[in-house]
């Protein structure tokens, strides 16, 4: 019997699979944040960042008075440094000094701030161009107008990008200020209007509560009772405005019965030009913000 030759098998070499495309490099995440001029708002931001999970070791603070710096170090476990040291070491600088002190602070910082630092300004009325002209070319600047309810985590912070700020820089600013309330991005051209409405806004409500408390006393209520009644009415009205989705006119109409007490009060407010006075007041606040921006402080 003739033996058949063993069958041979040929294999076609497999085409190697293409190498997977390298994953895009993640955007750099700023690690060390410094709060310069840590007053009440600066401290609120500091506290919000720590509650949000940022390590005190990644936070720096500066303060004009040494006793204030020591207070912050003891309370939060952060390192207190000089302005120049903060500029050298931090990836993000949050400038919370008063507008009239900002020029002097920038003169001190400019030699120490490389162009890859993110600078966040919380000073009312000062445009991002003011910072860009005084810092290294290409430095990203974000302008933020927040308000005092940051102290109770109910701030409204309005955020605008400078010429060199990217969406990642804006997102980082939102992360920081989101720890103490809500944030809203707007073009920088709207910042003066936002300052008038939101930055100064809490003062208008305090003024209204003060006037209504005086009215309650005039009507025969003890001050403490008048205060409690008005504050709770304000809280309830604010929550309804926020959560109901209804227009304020519709909510007001729901309280206003024909020939009732509320419409009588509304008529007096209109007769005294309260609506026109509020509009004029906000225009004045906007104009003052523009004056600050122009250096006419």
């Amino acid at each position: 019997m003739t033996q058949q030759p063993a069958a041979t098998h040929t294999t076609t070499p497999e085409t190697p699979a293409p190498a997977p495309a390298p994953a895009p490099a993640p955007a750099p995440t700023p690690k060390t944040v410094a709060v310069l001029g840590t007053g009440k708002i600066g401290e609120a931001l500091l506290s919000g960042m720590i509650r949000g999970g940022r390590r005190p070791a990644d936070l720096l603070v500066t303060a004009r008075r040494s006793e204030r710096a020591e207070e912050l170090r003891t309370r939060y476990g952060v390192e207190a440094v000089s302005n120049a040291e903060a500029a050298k070491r931090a990836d993000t600088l949050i400038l919370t000094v008063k507008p009239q002190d900002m020029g002097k602070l920038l003169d001190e910082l400019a030699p120490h701030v490389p162009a890859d630092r993110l600078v966040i300004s919380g000073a009312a009325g000062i445009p991002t161009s003011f910072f860009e002209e005084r810092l290294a070319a290409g430095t990203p600047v974000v302008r933020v107008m927040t308000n005092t309810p940051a102290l109770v985590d109910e701030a409204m912070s309005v955020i605008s990008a400078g010429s060199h700020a990217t969406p990642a820089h804006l997102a980082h600013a939102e992360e920081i200020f989101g720890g103490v309330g809500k944030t809203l991005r707007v073009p920088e051209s709207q910042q003066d209007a936002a300052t008038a409405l939101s930055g100064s806004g809490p003062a208008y409500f305090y003024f209204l509560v003060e006037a209504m408390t005086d009215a309650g006393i005039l009507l025969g209520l003890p001050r403490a009772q008048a205060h409690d009644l008005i504050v709770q009415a304000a809280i309830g009205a604010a929550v309804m405005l926020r959560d109901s989705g209804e227009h304020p006119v519709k909510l007001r109409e729901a309280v206003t019965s024909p020939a009732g007490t509320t419409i009588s009060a509304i008529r007096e407010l209109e007769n005294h030009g309260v609506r026109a006075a509020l509009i004029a007041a906000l225009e004045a606040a906007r104009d003052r913000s523009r004056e600050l921006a122009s250096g006419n402080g």
Side-chain angles (χ1 to χ4, degrees), residues 143 158-161 184-194:
R143 177 177 172 183
V158 184
I159 297 175
S160 302
L184 177 69
R185 294 188 194 185
V186 301
E188 189 171 10
S189 60
Q190 296 177 2
Q191 274 281 355
D192 293 322

Side-chain angles (χ1 to χ4, degrees), residues 208-209 211-214 216 225-235:
L208 182 60
V209 168
M212 292 175 70
T213 300
D214 288 344
Q225 289 185 3
H227 174 82
D228 289 347
L229 288 169
I230 294 160
V231 168
Q232 186 56 39
I235 293 171

